[in-house]
Amino acid sequence: MKHKKKKSTGGRNFSHWIIAVRPWSFPASIMPIVVTLAYLFWKGADINWIHGAWALVGMVLFHMTGNTWSDYFDYKKKVDADDTYGAKTITTGMFQANEIRNLAIGLLIASIACGLGLFAVTGLPLLWIGLAGAACTLLYPMMKFNALGDLDILLTFAFLPTLGTSYAATGAIDWNVLWVALPVGLITDGILHSNNTRDMLTDKRAGIKTMAMALGSKFSSWVYSFEMIFPYVWVGVLSIIGIMPMHTIIVFMTIPVAVACHRTMKRSLKEGVRPIVDLDVRTANLQLVFSALLTVAFVSAKYIFN
């Protein structure tokens, strides 16, 4: 499908630029940082909270960069069109493609400046983690178009930010933060995976190949279900063996939501994409509540047992 040439609507205000960076998606970048800081707090680490907050700001800036960068390339690759779901900032004429591209470049510069500032007051390991994160952000469109987007999201929104936060906040990389990165990251990855499963037909028309397309509808639904259910198994086992406090089983309160998401994805195998039109939003809400409860569990466990 060819894009119809649309002129920018003009008369934009600050709220339009806010829409362009998709703030409703920010929990995906904020919560890994918050959960990591809570985990380190529970472990008794000496935390520099200013550096922790600095890392959070940098992560959100990189997320905004990734959102706008991805929107630009999705439009140029004809992944986003008038009849597709998802971002509509360019296809509706709210912004011209070059405006979103320039916004992405500006946000990238701000992200790099923020990262370099934090590196200057911490140390070299943060530079390598930051460079890896920047590479994942810039390469995301290419990786998504070649069935590697899910891996990119796990690196960008789980493993790299938790390791980077541990170093920025404590002055040392604590590899144990990966225990909390995995469950949160899997649910975050489910946001993308549900989106790509919904968009398989239009993505095929655009000539790209996401992981959902490579797997096919049936196996793609299994992967999504794993991403929804396994985090609870993970947290349950780690709480039993003492790697996480028993308080973390509070996240089990969200199991009904995860099961409902799983069942919705299964329905799509018989009913088509209609049941999963908003499944990415529902998955994002699950990630937010799951992560918030995990944070509360670590903080409360610290005060009760110490």
Side-chain angles (χ1 to χ4, degrees), residues 77-79 145 201-209 213:
K77 191 70 175 179
K78 299 183 174 58
V79 174
F145 298 161
L201 291 178
T202 52
D203 285 347
K204 182 178 181 180
R205 182 184 68 194
I208 69 171
K209 188 175 184 179
M213 294 169 63

Side-chain angles (χ1 to χ4, degrees), residues 98-148:
N98 66 321
E99 292 177 309
I100 294 297
R101 178 201 62 203
N102 293 341
L103 176 59
I105 293 172
L107 288 168
L108 177 63
I109 293 171
S111 303
I112 293 174
C114 183
L116 288 175
L118 188 54
F119 152 66
V121 296
T122 55
L124 191 60
L126 193 67
L127 176 63
W128 303 126
I129 294 172
L131 287 174
C136 286
T137 298
L138 294 175
L139 294 175
Y140 173 72
M142 182 192 73
M143 294 184 73
K144 173 187 173 182
F145 298 161
N146 291 280
L148 293 172

Side-chain angles (χ1 to χ4, degrees), residues 50-260:
I50 293 177
H51 290 176
W54 197 336
L56 190 150
V57 171
M59 183 62 188
V60 172
L61 284 171
F62 267 115
H63 192 177
M64 289 191 287
T65 302
N67 282 346
T68 49
W69 191 250
S70 176
D71 287 349
Y72 172 73
F73 279 97
D74 279 355
Y75 180 80
K76 298 300 287 186
K77 191 70 175 179
K78 299 183 174 58
V79 174
D80 286 342
D82 294 340
D83 62 340
T84 56
Y85 301 102
K88 298 288 186 180
T89 51
I90 302 177
T91 57
T92 60
M94 180 184 293
F95 289 94
Q96 292 291 305
N98 66 321
E99 292 177 309
I100 294 297
R101 178 201 62 203
N102 293 341
L103 176 59
I105 293 172
L107 288 168
L108 177 63
I109 293 171
S111 303
I112 293 174
C114 183
L116 288 175
L118 188 54
F119 152 66
V121 296
T122 55
L124 191 60
L126 193 67
L127 176 63
W128 303 126
I129 294 172
L131 287 174
C136 286
T137 298
L138 294 175
L139 294 175
Y140 173 72
M142 182 192 73
M143 294 184 73
K144 173 187 173 182
F145 298 161
N146 291 280
L148 293 172
D150 293 65
L151 174 61
D152 187 289
I153 291 298
L154 274 177
L155 290 172
T156 307
F157 292 95
F159 302 140
L160 290 174
T162 52
L163 290 173
T165 300
S166 74
Y167 183 79
T170 68
I173 293 178
D174 186 345
W175 294 95
N176 289 310
V177 296
L178 296 179
W179 295 119
V180 298
L182 184 62
V184 175
L186 283 175
I187 300 176
T188 301
D189 209 46
I191 302 172
L192 172 71
H193 198 71
S194 61
N195 184 302
N196 288 345
T197 302
R198 178 196 67 195
D199 295 341
M200 281 196 288
L201 291 178
T202 52
D203 285 347
K204 182 178 181 180
R205 182 184 68 194
I208 69 171
K209 188 175 184 179
T210 63
M211 192 177 92
M213 294 169 63
L215 293 173
S217 298
K218 184 177 181 180
F219 287 107
S220 183
S221 70
W222 288 357
V223 168
Y224 177 79
S225 295
F226 173 80
E227 292 170 334
M228 294 303 100
I229 304 303
F230 184 75
Y232 298 93
V233 177
W234 184 262
V235 170
V237 171
L238 294 190
S239 67
I240 291 172
I241 64 179
I243 292 178
M244 292 185 184
M246 285 300 297
H247 291 64
T248 53
I249 62 173
I250 193 177
V251 300
F252 286 17
M253 293 173 59
T254 61
I255 284 181
V257 180
V259 171

